[in-house]
Amino acid sequence: MSGGPLLRVDALSFSYPRRHVFTDWSADFGGGINWVRGSNGSGKSTLLKLLGGALPAAAGSVVLGAVDSAAQPLDYRRQVFWCGPGAVPFEHLTPAEYFGFMHGLYPRFDAAALERHVRGFALAPQLHAALGTLSTGTQRKTWLAAALAAGCRATLLDEPINALDAASHAHLLAVLAEAAADRSRCWIVASHESLGDAGAHAAVFDLG
């Protein structure tokens, strides 16, 4: 992990009403691929939600560069893209409309990269159908395409390989292999599956 950390987590604590997850958990995530591993229930998804701003921490800090997620929440969220393990939100939109919405939210959204990922995930035939009418897998690929194109300083992918078809699987692993060499951006991937070539160059965080 060269160049120092991009995203710093210090003394993070979080509990659900009936389950404790983290106490004073700290980590430094650098540029390239950061692979979060662990058994079911170890807190992988919870961690990515906390880092993405989808859950509020009970205590601790999350800082991306000089942007503190608690003190500067809007600035922070415009530099972080969290992609969860389920279907994409905004099911009333079409994929084309969803991409347009994301383009407006993220200053570095890359239209050329989006075209590449639409091809890689074979999304073109579904671009103008409401997301709610599409399969969970197609919604998932729509969310991934937006995450990969958003150009964010930190991209958080929760179990991104789950249920992908072979061609989409290969496309995603190729993109992650490229990301592993880019130390200007932080990619945090929670996955129990192999990340291929990207995994060989990843910083690994085991949650148990």
Side-chain angles (χ1 to χ4, degrees), residues 93-148:
L93 300 179
T94 68
E97 290 168 340
Y98 173 70
F99 293 142
F101 180 46
M102 293 297 102
H103 199 166
L105 286 179
Y106 294 98
R108 297 183 180 179
F109 197 96
D110 187 332
L114 177 64
E115 289 183 10
R116 175 193 174 192
H117 302 315
V118 166
R119 291 194 303 270
F121 291 129
L123 290 171
Q126 291 85 30
L127 283 177
H128 301 290
L131 283 162
T133 68
L134 301 176
S135 68
T136 299
T138 300
Q139 292 184 52
R140 175 79 172 138
K141 290 189 287 186
T142 299
W143 201 355
L144 282 169
L148 299 178

Side-chain angles (χ1 to χ4, degrees), residues 184-203:
S184 68
R185 296 175 60 189
C186 176
W187 297 71
I188 302 177
V189 183
S191 179
H192 68 277
E193 299 187 59
S194 170
L195 301 183
D197 289 343
H201 302 283

Side-chain angles (χ1 to χ4, degrees), residues 15-90:
S15 294
Y16 293 107
R18 296 186 179 181
R19 182 168 70 92
H20 181 71
V21 185
F22 296 111
T23 299
D24 292 335
W25 191 87
S26 300
D28 289 342
F29 295 98
I33 299 293
N34 299 269
W35 187 1
V36 177
R37 304 188 305 193
S39 59
N40 287 340
S42 62
K44 300 189 305 297
S45 292
T46 298
L47 177 62
L48 265 65
K49 287 180 180 179
L50 289 165
L51 301 184
L55 284 175
S61 65
V62 179
V63 180
L64 177 62
V67 180
D68 187 298
S69 64
Q72 303 156 280
L74 293 180
D75 287 344
Y76 180 84
R77 290 182 185 182
R78 287 172 69 85
Q79 297 187 51
V80 177
F81 197 114
W82 166 70
C83 181
V88 68
F90 310 108

Side-chain angles (χ1 to χ4, degrees), residues 161 164 167-179 194-198:
I161 298 169
L164 290 183
S168 296
H169 184 180
H171 175 69
L172 177 61
L173 290 188
V175 173
L176 293 179
E178 295 170 6
S194 170
L195 301 183
D197 289 343

